[in-house]
Amino acid sequence: MACIVLAPFAFKSTIEDFKIVKKLIWYLVLTALLGITFFNTLIYFAGKTTSAINLSLIAISIPLFIVVLSRIIFKEKLSSLKIAGIATIITGVIVLITKGSLLALLHINFTIGDLLMLVACLFFACYTILVRQKPDELSPKVFLFSVFVLGVIFLFPFYLWEHLFYKKVILDTKTIVVTIYVGLFASMVSYYLWNEAIRLIGTSKTALIYYLIPVFSGILAYFFLGQAIVITQIISMGIIITGLLITNRG
């Protein structure tokens, strides 16, 4: 879906820059494997064998992996203020996920899905580092389109096997609507904005903005699902935003 929608805007440019794409093919292959094929597949498999709270807690590791890798590869400084900000953010996320009861952490059972999620987080952190190293000669839309196409090529044989021998895909209304949403917003738009943010403000700052996801989730759930916002959510959102402000000043 992302490839189809992006094609009218990027296909011609990709053909014109094919020599550049060919020269950078192994870079694009690695980026597609880590950020598209492996990352998304592992998350979906992880979700079948572990709980949402486990997935949320493990997802905290994505920005941490990115910050650590950025420190190792790009020598980005990690000041005491930034460390304090990160610790504050993580505290806010944990308060949000556990609804203010840290005893909930004692009742978490870990499964193979948790390991898959952790590996997925590491892969996405590596993808983010690779995006920062994107050669300037490769335009953003050609890069994104190439990575999406390669991701589809790598996934298609497994999709075909699953469709034929495991569970047939039924394209009912619900499946089509979900696929359109994931293809347009969770894939094309989100990946483009993430990549541009990395280019503009760097990997570490982009990574920490990731922690606003639960804040937006709570607000959207209030407006679209009618879910009440409780006091622990308000407190946790305040802690997360405070942590981001502290980190930004560091």
Side-chain angles (χ1 to χ4, degrees):
M1 182 60 62
C3 286
I4 291 171
V5 174
L6 193 56
F9 306 98
F11 183 76
K12 183 179 178 180
S13 299
T14 303
I15 296 300
E16 292 173 350
D17 294 343
F18 187 72
K19 287 185 178 180
I20 298 173
V21 172
K22 187 177 179 181
K23 184 177 73 173
L24 300 172
I25 190 62
W26 291 113
Y27 162 75
L28 292 169
V29 164
L30 182 60
T31 305
L33 281 173
L34 293 176
I36 308 297
T37 306
F38 291 155
F39 172 65
N40 291 287
T41 302
L42 287 173
I43 283 184
Y44 294 136
F45 273 100
K48 293 176 69 68
T49 57
T50 191
S51 64
I53 187 170
N54 283 34
L55 292 176
S56 301
L57 286 170
I58 296 170
I60 293 174
S61 67
I62 290 181
L64 297 181
F65 278 136
I66 294 172
V67 169
V68 171
L69 289 174
S70 296
R71 178 71 181 93
I72 294 172
I73 298 172
F74 305 118
K75 309 301 180 184
E76 290 186 359
K77 293 182 179 180
L78 199 61
S79 64
S80 299
L81 194 61
K82 185 169 288 187
I83 293 173
I86 293 172
T88 303
I89 293 169
I90 293 175
T91 300
V93 174
I94 292 175
V95 170
L96 179 65
I97 293 170
T98 61
K99 295 180 175 62
S101 175
L102 297 182
L103 290 176
L105 295 175
L106 300 177
H107 297 91
I108 292 177
N109 295 314
F110 292 99
T111 67
I112 186 64
D114 301 308
L115 178 60
L116 294 176
M117 183 62 184
L118 187 64
V119 174
C121 292
L122 177 59
F123 282 163
F124 191 75
C126 293
Y127 164 82
T128 300
I129 297 299
L130 286 168
V131 170
R132 176 166 173 176
Q133 294 180 306
K134 181 185 74 67
D136 293 334
E137 57 190 316
L138 198 62
S139 69
K141 63 181 179 181
V142 172
F143 167 75
L144 193 62
F145 184 63
S146 300
V147 168
F148 280 165
V149 169
L150 288 168
V152 170
I153 291 172
F154 298 142
L155 280 171
F156 186 73
F158 299 99
Y159 161 78
L160 196 61
W161 175 86
E162 185 179 63
H163 179 71
L164 295 175
F165 302 107
Y166 179 66
K167 187 175 183 180
K168 187 175 181 180
V169 178
I170 301 174
L171 294 177
D172 54 15
T173 302
K174 181 180 179 181
T175 302
I176 292 172
V177 171
V178 170
T179 301
I180 291 173
Y181 170 78
V182 173
L184 292 182
F185 298 102
S187 294
M188 188 183 73
V189 175
S190 62
Y191 270 87
Y192 176 78
L193 294 177
W194 181 264
N195 294 350
E196 283 297 286
I198 293 169
R199 183 179 66 84
L200 294 170
I201 63 175
T203 51
S204 294
K205 285 187 176 181
T206 301
L208 294 175
I209 295 299
Y210 180 92
Y211 286 124
L212 282 177
I213 290 177
V215 175
F216 288 125
S217 297
I219 295 172
L220 291 172
Y222 172 78
F223 284 106
F224 293 100
L225 301 179
Q227 295 182 3
I229 296 180
V230 298
I231 188 65
T232 53
Q233 289 176 307
I234 296 173
I235 293 172
S236 63
M237 289 177 185
I239 295 173
I240 292 170
I241 293 172
T242 300
L244 285 171
L245 292 174
I246 293 172
T247 304
N248 194 50
R249 295 188 65 173

